[in-house]
Amino acid sequence: MAQKIVTVYTDDLTGEESEEVQTHSFSLDGVNYEIDVVADNYDKLFQALAPFIEKGRKVGRTKGPARPRKASAEGPSAEELRAWARENNYQVNDRGRVPASIREAYQKAH
């Protein structure tokens, strides 16, 4: 059986489908919002907020969602390093970053 997945982009403001829809984020009173709109509707949003942005104070950018770290394709995993370190009488924590000295010792041994 074959499946076909179709993604439909819809403007949240008008409900119209368009390939031009983009997601925009904004915040008000500590609540973060996202809206998917075409460029014309984003311009309307920006124009509506422009007087407030102009008179407001910048407090910096808020952090976006945390991105998962990409696992290194090279070398052993942290669990493998910890197991090797314990077998070779190195002290290593159960969690957190494996010290560089243990990584170096592992590389010298292999």
Side-chain angles (χ1 to χ4, degrees), residues 48-78:
L49 294 175
F52 303 97
I53 292 170
E54 189 176 306
K55 300 294 182 183
R57 293 178 299 279
K58 287 186 180 181
V59 294
R61 295 188 181 267
T62 57
K63 287 187 176 182
R67 295 182 185 180
R69 289 188 178 192
K70 201 173 189 180
S72 175
E74 297 178 26
S77 67

Side-chain angles (χ1 to χ4, degrees), residues 21-107:
V21 171
Q22 292 185 341
T23 302
H24 299 279
S25 302
F26 61 98
S27 178
L28 182 64
D29 291 336
V31 179
N32 297 321
Y33 298 89
E34 280 190 347
I35 191 165
D36 300 325
V37 292
V38 295
D40 288 342
N41 287 332
Y42 175 73
D43 290 343
K44 290 177 187 176
L45 172 65
F46 190 81
Q47 287 173 359
L49 294 175
F52 303 97
I53 292 170
E54 189 176 306
K55 300 294 182 183
R57 293 178 299 279
K58 287 186 180 181
V59 294
R61 295 188 181 267
T62 57
K63 287 187 176 182
R67 295 182 185 180
R69 289 188 178 192
K70 201 173 189 180
S72 175
E74 297 178 26
S77 67
E79 292 79 20
E80 292 171 330
L81 283 172
R82 286 187 180 91
W84 177 87
R86 289 185 184 105
E87 290 170 4
N88 290 278
N89 299 319
Y90 286 93
Q91 294 249 336
V92 65
N93 293 328
D94 292 335
R95 295 175 35 192
R97 191 174 204 170
V98 177
S101 59
I102 292 177
R103 288 188 181 275
E104 289 170 6
Y106 178 88
Q107 289 173 350

